[in-house]
Amino acid sequence: MPLLVGRSRSLAAVAAAADGSRELLLVTQRNPDDQQPDSSGLHRIGVIARVQHVTRLPNGTTRILVDARERVQIARFTMPRSAPVIEGEVTEAEARAAERAASLPVQATVKPFPLALEGADLVSLAVRVRHALTLFEEYAGLQRRIAPEIIGVLQSIDDPVRLTFGIAAHLQVPLDVRQELLEKPTLDALVERVSEVLVTELELLRLERRIDEQVRGSLYQNQREFFLQEQLKAIHKELGNDDGDDLEELEKQLKARNLPEEVQTRATREVRRLKRLSPMSPESAVARGWLDWVAALPWHEKSDDTLDITTARDVLEADHYGLKEVKERILDHVAVLSRVGTVRGPILCLVGPPGVGKTSLARSIARSMGRKFVRISLGGVRDEAEIRGHRRTYVGALPGRIVQAMRRAEVVNPVLLLDELDKLGSDWRGDPSSALLEVLDPEQHRAFADHYLEVDYDLSQVLFITTANSLPGIPEALRDRLEVVRLPGYLEPEKLAIASRYLIPRQLEAHGLSDGDLVVSEEVLTTIIRGWTREAGVRDLERRVARLVRKVTRAIAEKGDMALPIVVDEASLSAYLGVAPFDAEDASTENRVGVSNGLAYTSVGGELLEVEVSVVPGRGRLQLTGTLGDVMKESASAALTWVRSRLDTLGLSPELLQKHDLHVHVPAGATPKDGPSAGIAIATAMVSALTGRPVRGNVAMTGEVTLRGRVLPIGGLREKGVAAHRQHMIDVIIPAGNARDLAEMPDDAREGVRWHPVRLMDEVLDVALLPAAAPALLDPTTIEAKPPARGRGSKRGRTQREAHLT
């Protein structure tokens, strides 16, 4: 084994051995950092070796080649006497003396220490030595520092002692373990300890090999994918398909966008991070997607607003008929914008039944202002992340619909329509209406926070328009942020104008006909409106017109020589549209006992609601049918209580309601109904049924009734008034508290009906009831009480009582 010797005492020992017996005692020291160890710092078991060759190196060290001979035990060390410590200046003689003292070798008295073999089972020992050799062969295969020739040398040794020491000499283990192996007293103990060390080292080497293979495989796969990606890029570049979408161009694009300072800082940091990531890393795709969204969003780009009020008015009038209030509000905004230059956009909420043109009106508003139009449908949205976006930690995360709409708009000042606001849902995933509070709050949406972007986005220049069919479906906190503009249902004259100006020309163009190919008079359109449609808007009317035009187009195609134009009259409507589903006069204006006309407000506009009351023998109970809600049932109970309190005034016997039941029914039975506004209609029908006084058939009414007979205000009067006018009612009874709402009523509806604001139920009865043509039908004095023929609850007994009552 070659050794490098550098310390003075070791060099002195080498020199003495080279000049004499050429034998050295090799001993390890306990502390490797001690440069001048004493006898206590040296181990007591060492090896005598013969110096084969000595070579002095230029750096002052000596290289020796030694051959170990035998193991010895050291009885005593003879350390050279150290030179005295001299303070102050040192003379030349003193320096030479110190140098001679340091160059003296260490001597030792030793005795042989061979491995003991007495009492050992030589056969078993030989097997264990061979097993240790087998383990060492596997160890050498895993340990790269052992030359392959060592295995051949060890396999050629027959002496078990030399073989065991040969194995131990080539183990790559710490110095203290090697010294422990050297000090084993018997061959049996040495072989056992060598096997234990080999087993431990093999486990560590196998683990290192497995980890190394995994790392190498991962690195190879990444390198292979990267190499293939680079080849693919080169192929695309040669084919001319390279879109230049690399990091350098993306970085230039971000700098050219003139981003806000906070966004620019964040984007720069993401670009630097993306450059350090592997192209195949999942984080790389996430960071690249975020940068693409930031680069695609508008931050300062805006469209030029049309500030000419005349132009804006002409566009609104050309697109829609009527809708005066919302048009005035948009013209006000344009006027302020022309004076100030910038103004915080209003948040309009267009509320009205389906088919009145809310969505198309929002598109027309954008066209009148010269802005881009973007629509977001909120119907059925239940996840808050649809508004605020998903966080980037989720796979497939995207910004919310607001940010996506801004990307489609490509400007910071579009008209953004949030359609069907009242159709939002909520569940365990969150409440989207709560997320919209920030979007629709002028004080907050200047710094809108999207979970995906994680930077503030300015929505202050956006003109938000929302639509809804009914206000109760919008949460109160969200409703407080909206400027509500109501769009009532269209009256018949308005439907005629819309059909003539917009619907028929649009359908003629869609079906390839010219304006002169088809003639539809106002009388025919009126018949279609009354007999084939029953709606607040014009959506069903347009479908009927489209069917009529399709039939005419087919007739022209089948008969090429048909004379044009084709004139559609009332007689031929059934041939084109089929049987009319509605009777134009199905809203009966006949004066009837126990039947009153109420007014209801639904999601499709105002409706006429009949209330029927029948009086049958019984025990004074109240039966309610017609799928009524809790509030409407309470209104019926309150109306009955008021009637009971006024029996004397009405000229009825107090015993009347004790022996008869009242049955209140509101057709149609399958349609749910609720609300307090039918209170006076129910009370009027009850009084009519009990007194026999008919209710005027051309009178409609709406209002809440109290136990004291007061009539309280209700909502939706505008839509109810339009429904009353559409059903040809002459008189409409309303609460006095709603009289101020008549100013918002369309002119035709307000002027075509006589309005009767009332405060008490007595006033309602004066207008709604006619004088009785005969004495009260159900006065107990005129009814002969006869016992039933059979049991009280039997069918025959009930039949006889009902026949007698009739």
Side-chain angles (χ1 to χ4, degrees):
M1 176 178 292
L3 297 175
L4 288 176
V5 182
R7 288 185 289 189
S8 56
R9 289 182 178 179
S10 301
L11 291 174
V14 170
D19 295 338
S21 63
R22 304 188 71 84
E23 288 187 344
L24 280 176
L25 174 60
L26 304 180
V27 185
T28 58
Q29 62 187 63
R30 302 182 188 276
N31 183 10
D33 297 330
D34 190 359
Q35 296 299 320
Q36 296 293 336
D38 54 9
S39 59
S40 62
L42 301 175
H43 286 284
R44 293 293 173 168
I45 303 297
V47 176
I48 292 179
R50 183 174 181 81
V51 178
Q52 300 288 352
H53 186 70
V54 178
T55 304
R56 300 187 181 277
L57 301 178
N59 58 1
T61 59
T62 300
R63 178 185 177 89
I64 63 174
L65 185 65
V66 298
D67 182 19
R69 295 297 184 181
E70 62 176 327
R71 186 176 67 160
V72 296
Q73 184 176 9
I74 301 166
R76 181 170 58 86
F77 286 103
T78 302
M79 309 297 293
R81 186 168 55 184
S82 301
V85 178
I86 303 174
E87 297 181 356
E89 295 184 359
V90 180
T91 62
E92 183 178 354
E94 293 171 342
R96 285 197 299 270
E99 183 178 354
R100 284 195 303 271
S103 61
L104 295 176
V106 179
Q107 297 181 354
T109 302
V110 300
K111 62 179 179 179
F113 186 56
L115 283 173
L117 297 176
E118 292 81 3
D121 186 355
L122 297 181
V123 177
S124 175
L125 186 62
V127 172
R128 294 168 63 187
V129 171
R130 287 299 171 186
H131 176 257
L133 179 60
T134 303
L135 293 176
F136 182 77
E137 291 174 357
E138 183 180 357
Y139 174 80
L142 297 175
Q143 179 60 261
R144 300 183 182 91
R145 299 178 183 177
I146 299 178
E149 295 81 6
I150 298 296
I151 301 297
V153 174
L154 293 177
Q155 290 175 346
S156 63
I157 298 176
D158 295 331
D159 184 5
V161 175
R162 291 186 59 84
L163 178 59
T164 305
F165 273 124
I167 294 173
H170 293 89
L171 292 178
Q172 304 296 322
V173 293
L175 188 61
D176 55 345
V177 178
R178 298 168 68 89
Q179 183 66 30
E180 178 188 359
L181 295 175
L182 181 65
E183 293 179 358
K184 289 297 180 183
T186 64
L187 181 60
D188 193 12
L190 178 60
V191 172
E192 181 180 359
R193 181 57 180 155
V194 167
S195 298
E196 292 176 357
V197 173
L198 281 171
V199 170
T200 302
E201 290 297 313
L202 280 174
E203 290 294 329
L204 295 176
L205 287 175
R206 293 190 190 107
L207 180 61
E208 290 178 0
R209 173 66 63 88
R210 187 162 57 250
I211 295 175
D212 182 66
E213 290 176 354
Q214 291 176 354
V215 173
R216 286 177 178 274
S218 176
L219 290 176
Y220 171 75
Q221 182 66 21
N222 290 339
Q223 292 173 353
R224 178 175 177 273
E225 291 178 356
F226 177 76
F227 178 71
L228 292 176
Q229 288 289 340
E230 292 299 321
Q231 283 187 327
L232 188 60
K233 289 181 180 179
I235 292 173
H236 282 303
K237 189 173 182 180
E238 290 295 330
L239 293 175
N241 297 332
D242 185 16
D243 56 357
D245 191 17
D246 52 14
L247 288 180
E248 288 75 13
E249 292 193 6
L250 179 60
E251 191 172 8
K252 293 179 182 178
Q253 183 181 1
L254 290 172
K255 291 180 179 179
R257 292 304 302 261
N258 190 23
L259 302 175
E261 182 178 357
E262 177 188 357
V263 182
Q264 183 65 57
T265 303
R266 179 69 180 275
T268 303
R269 185 166 65 247
E270 287 291 331
V271 169
R272 288 200 300 265
R273 177 168 169 266
L274 184 59
K275 289 180 179 179
R276 294 193 300 267
L277 292 173
S278 169
M280 306 308 298
S281 170
E283 287 293 322
S284 175
V286 173
R288 182 55 184 267
W290 185 87
L291 289 171
D292 288 338
W293 271 100
V294 171
L297 283 175
W299 298 94
H300 302 285
E301 299 80 3
K302 60 186 302 184
S303 57
D304 296 330
D305 291 332
T306 300
L307 304 180
D308 187 1
I309 297 181
T310 303
T311 303
R313 180 185 290 110
D314 293 342
V315 172
L316 291 174
E317 293 294 340
D319 290 348
H320 289 82
Y321 181 82
L323 307 177
K324 180 179 179 181
E325 181 180 352
V326 64
K327 292 179 180 179
E328 292 294 331
R329 181 62 185 86
I330 296 303
L331 293 178
D332 293 344
H333 180 71
V334 173
V336 175
L337 196 63
S338 64
R339 300 283 294 179
V340 180
T342 178
V343 63
R344 183 180 299 170
I347 301 175
L348 302 180
C349 181
L350 307 180
V351 180
V356 297
K358 299 184 295 295
T359 304
S360 61
L361 180 60
R363 186 177 288 105
S364 179
I365 291 173
R367 196 165 73 90
S368 67
M369 298 181 65
R371 294 190 177 189
K372 291 191 175 182
F373 175 77
V374 185
R375 174 181 172 270
I376 301 176
S377 178
L378 298 179
V381 173
R382 294 180 175 270
D383 191 356
E384 177 201 359
E386 293 283 345
I387 306 299
R388 290 186 177 273
H390 300 81
R391 299 192 183 277
R392 287 194 288 165
T393 53
Y394 298 104
V395 177
L398 285 174
R401 295 197 181 191
I402 303 297
V403 173
Q404 293 181 30
M406 296 303 296
R407 179 178 182 176
R408 296 198 305 269
E410 300 179 345
V411 291
V412 296
N413 63 337
V415 173
L416 187 57
L417 174 64
L418 302 178
D419 209 2
E420 308 294 349
L421 185 62
D422 58 331
K423 306 300 189 302
L424 282 173
S426 61
D427 56 13
W428 55 270
R429 289 168 291 187
D431 186 3
S433 61
S434 299
L436 282 175
L437 294 178
E438 180 184 4
V439 177
L440 300 180
D441 192 343
E443 300 297 332
Q444 299 183 40
H445 65 202
R446 186 178 299 274
F448 172 65
D450 187 273
H451 289 164
Y452 182 85
L453 291 182
E454 296 179 344
V455 293
D456 293 340
Y457 191 80
D458 187 5
L459 297 174
S460 60
Q461 300 184 61
V462 178
L463 175 58
F464 286 99
I465 299 178
T466 65
T467 67
N469 294 131
S470 61
L471 279 179
I474 304 175
E476 184 66 30
L478 187 58
R479 194 188 317 166
D480 183 62
R481 289 162 167 79
L482 306 176
E483 183 177 342
V484 178
V485 179
R486 294 184 179 274
L487 278 66
Y490 293 116
L491 301 177
E492 187 174 293
E494 293 175 326
K495 291 183 178 181
L496 280 173
I498 293 172
S500 301
R501 297 183 186 182
Y502 304 101
L503 303 185
I504 293 179
R506 184 191 305 167
Q507 294 301 326
L508 289 175
E509 181 181 358
H511 292 81
L513 299 180
S514 61
D515 294 340
D517 293 342
L518 178 64
V519 176
V520 182
S521 63
E522 287 191 3
E523 292 76 11
V524 174
L525 287 176
T526 303
T527 304
I528 295 175
I529 293 171
R530 294 178 180 178
W532 276 268
T533 65
R534 187 61 56 87
E535 58 177 344
V538 293
R539 189 169 292 159
D540 194 23
L541 177 59
E542 183 171 12
R543 283 193 288 265
R544 301 294 179 178
V545 172
R547 181 176 181 181
L548 175 63
V549 177
R550 283 198 304 271
K551 296 293 184 181
V552 172
T553 305
R554 177 184 172 185
I556 295 176
E558 291 177 347
K559 300 177 182 179
D561 56 348
M562 179 176 289
L564 299 177
I566 298 177
V567 179
V568 179
D569 54 17
E570 297 183 20
S572 60
L573 272 180
S574 298
Y576 290 115
L577 301 180
V579 178
F582 305 106
D583 185 358
E585 303 295 335
D586 62 352
S588 176
T589 57
E590 180 185 355
N591 303 330
R592 291 174 290 177
V593 175
V595 180
S596 63
N597 295 322
L599 293 172
Y601 173 58
T602 67
S603 60
V604 296
E607 292 289 341
L608 195 68
L609 199 68
E610 285 191 350
V611 178
E612 299 177 346
V613 176
S614 293
V615 182
V616 295
R619 298 181 179 180
R621 292 174 299 184
L622 176 64
Q623 184 177 2
L624 303 173
T625 57
T627 320
L628 308 184
D630 292 338
V631 177
M632 199 166 183
K633 291 179 180 179
E634 293 174 359
S635 296
S637 299
L640 179 58
T641 301
W642 177 81
V643 172
R644 289 179 184 273
S645 68
R646 300 300 298 263
L647 287 177
D648 293 340
T649 305
L650 298 174
L652 299 174
S653 171
E655 299 179 358
L656 176 62
L657 291 179
Q658 297 178 3
K659 298 181 179 180
H660 295 83
D661 294 341
L662 289 183
H663 185 171
V664 179
H665 179 69
V666 184
T671 305
K673 311 165 193 71
D674 203 359
S677 62
I680 65 173
I682 296 174
T684 302
M686 286 181 176
V687 173
S688 174
L690 291 170
T691 62
R693 297 175 60 184
V695 182
R696 293 172 55 194
N698 55 9
V699 174
M701 60 194 74
T702 180
E704 180 180 355
V705 67
T706 68
L707 297 178
R708 299 293 186 270
R710 292 187 299 118
V711 181
L712 302 183
I714 44 82
L717 181 63
R718 191 176 186 179
E719 289 77 9
K720 294 177 181 178
V722 171
H725 182 271
R726 185 170 62 241
Q727 297 296 336
H728 309 290
M729 294 292 109
I730 297 177
D731 296 279
V732 177
I733 303 173
I734 62 172
N738 289 112
R740 57 181 175 272
D741 297 333
L742 293 176
E744 300 180 0
M745 194 73 62
D747 295 339
D748 292 343
R750 185 175 63 251
E751 297 172 0
V753 175
R754 287 199 300 263
W755 300 91
H756 300 273
V758 297
R759 297 183 182 276
L760 300 173
M761 268 303 302
D762 294 334
E763 302 176 53
V764 177
L765 299 181
D766 292 341
V767 177
L769 295 183
L770 294 172
L777 296 179
L778 297 180
D779 193 327
T781 59
T782 65
I783 300 178
E784 180 183 356
K786 292 185 179 180
R790 299 179 61 183
R792 186 173 186 177
S794 66
K795 179 177 179 182
R796 181 177 176 185
R798 290 196 304 270
T799 306
Q800 288 183 352
R801 286 199 301 273
E802 292 173 1
H804 177 67
L805 178 62
T806 303

